[in-house]
């Protein structure tokens, strides 16, 4: 498998669910040349150099709802479904926002254990839905995938093995700091949030994504990885979609609008992972 194949729909090698695109509506296009410089980390570079240094696979620029620039690299194409990793959390924030908008999700200060009492013996006791959204749960977790023996690495191996148990791993989460006392990037917070969302709405993550995909008039079906055949979706990092459809998620998160429709609650529910959406490709 080439390096780019690790990003191009890797879920096809493990359990997954398809997310349909029932009402596709292509972006209006008006191609224009793009010249830009990128400044950061003490240096300035041209756009092409930046794209090479970051090993980018896709670049799209949307202005006022019009796709004005589109490029693909390293053998990727417009139809490829590219793994968004933690940009999946941004999609999760939007489906939570949809549930709030529809009146199917309780107040954000509700304890997660009101919806998922199984978490009462874990570090999530006393944590609110808002604290899951903002990753301020305080649980004893470190997002470290460099150490193969870290809890994060073990959780990823558990998911990729396709043998189930993703949510069961949350029951082992230790307590850390008081809820709400600090921010720390925490993929298990997203998994706990999705569990609560599913309990409140009765919709598994792929079904909730299907409603979002329909609302966004996505051009192509997406795919999301499961922890076993017919199992739980990895709502913190397994969504793969075309770059054009990732751009729809980013566009919606700017101000909560899609085309001429305002989605009241979707904007403020964006997770800390919102920045990942911009570089999902």
């Amino acid at each position: 498998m080439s390096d780019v194949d690790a990003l191009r729909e890797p879920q096809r090698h493990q359990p997954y669910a398809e997310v349909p695109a029932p009402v596709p509506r292509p972006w209006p296009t008006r191609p224009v040349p793009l010249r830009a410089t990128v400044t950061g980390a003490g240096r300035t570079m041209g756009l092409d150099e930046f794209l090479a240094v970051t090993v980018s696979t896709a670049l799209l620029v949307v202005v006022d709802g019009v796709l004005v620039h589109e490029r693909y690299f390293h053998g990727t194409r417009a139809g490829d479904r590219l793994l968004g990793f933690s940009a999946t959390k941004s999609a999760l924030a939007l489906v939570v926002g949809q549930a709030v908008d529809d009146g199917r999700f309780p107040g954000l200060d509700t304890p997660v254990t009101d919806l998922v009492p199984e978490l009462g013996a874990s570090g999530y006791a006393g944590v609110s839905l808002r604290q899951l959204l903002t990753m301020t749960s305080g649980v004893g977790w470190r997002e470290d995938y460099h150490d193969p023996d870290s809890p994060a690495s073990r959780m990823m191996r558990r998911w990729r093995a396709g043998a189930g148990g993703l949510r069961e791993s949350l029951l082992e989460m230790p307590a850390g700091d008081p809820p709400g006392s600090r921010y720390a990037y925490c993929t298990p917070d997203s998994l706990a949030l999705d569990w609560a969302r599913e309990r409140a709405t009765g919709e598994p993550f792929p079904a909730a994504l299907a409603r979002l995909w329909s609302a966004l008039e996505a051009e192509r079906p997406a795919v999301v990885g499961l922890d076993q055949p017919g199992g739980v979706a990895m709502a913190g990092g397994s969504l793969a979609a075309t770059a054009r459809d990732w751009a729809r998620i980013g566009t919606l998160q700017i101000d909560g609008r899609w085309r001429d429709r305002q989605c009241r609650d979707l904007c403020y529910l964006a997770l800390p992972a919102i920045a990942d959406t911009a570089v999902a490709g």
Side-chain angles (χ1 to χ4, degrees):
M1 180 186 295
S2 68
D3 289 343
V4 75
D5 280 333
L7 299 174
R8 186 192 287 120
E9 201 179 327
Q11 293 88 334
R12 67 187 184 277
H13 302 297
Q14 64 187 79
Y16 66 90
E18 288 276 333
V19 179
V23 285
R25 182 179 177 184
W27 283 103
T29 59
R30 188 171 61 247
V32 298
L34 178 63
R35 301 178 66 181
T37 57
V38 180
T39 300
R43 62 177 296 193
T44 298
M45 64 187 83
L47 180 60
D48 288 343
E49 182 184 1
F50 173 79
L51 294 169
V53 167
T54 55
V55 198
S56 296
T57 53
L59 170 67
L60 276 74
V61 179
V62 175
V63 178
D64 295 331
V66 177
L67 181 59
V68 299
H69 196 81
E70 181 177 25
R71 295 166 64 187
Y72 295 90
F73 313 91
H74 306 291
T76 62
R77 301 175 299 275
D80 287 338
R81 298 190 288 193
L82 302 173
L83 179 62
F85 292 108
S86 284
T88 306
K89 297 177 175 70
S90 294
L92 171 61
L94 294 175
V95 299
V96 169
Q98 281 188 310
V100 171
D101 229 18
D102 295 342
R104 299 189 301 155
F105 202 68
L108 295 183
D109 294 316
T110 300
V112 64
T113 50
D114 281 11
L115 294 169
V116 189
E118 296 95 321
L119 293 173
S122 75
Y124 283 110
V127 173
S128 71
L129 300 175
R130 186 186 307 275
Q131 287 158 350
L132 295 178
L133 274 161
T134 56
M135 291 187 178
T136 56
S137 68
V139 295
W141 173 266
R142 183 181 178 191
E143 196 91 4
D144 178 10
Y145 299 105
H146 297 290
D147 177 0
D149 295 322
S150 72
S153 295
R154 293 200 302 270
M155 185 185 72
M156 286 297 103
R157 284 198 300 271
R158 193 172 187 172
W159 165 53
R160 287 169 178 156
L166 188 61
R167 284 179 175 165
E168 284 73 9
S169 66
L170 301 179
L171 306 180
E172 305 163 3
M173 187 66 61
D177 296 323
S181 63
R182 64 173 174 85
Y183 163 78
Y185 195 89
C186 182
T187 292
D189 283 3
S190 297
L191 301 181
L193 174 66
D194 185 57
W195 199 353
R197 181 207 56 76
E198 183 176 312
R199 284 282 174 84
T201 64
E203 277 187 334
F205 190 52
L209 284 173
R211 293 201 312 120
L212 177 65
W213 238 233
S214 178
L216 289 176
E217 303 166 312
E219 292 187 32
R220 282 210 62 203
V223 61
V224 63
L226 308 178
D227 69 347
Q228 63 181 342
V232 172
M234 177 39 159
S238 69
L239 177 62
T242 65
R244 291 176 181 176
D245 288 335
W246 278 117
R248 293 167 190 265
I249 291 177
T251 298
L252 180 57
Q253 287 190 321
I254 291 173
D255 62 1
R257 294 188 64 86
W258 178 249
R259 301 200 189 273
D260 58 348
R261 301 194 303 274
Q262 179 72 42
C263 303
R264 294 193 312 271
D265 297 301
L266 299 189
C267 187
Y268 81 84
L269 287 174
L271 287 170
I274 185 171
D276 293 328
T277 305
V279 293

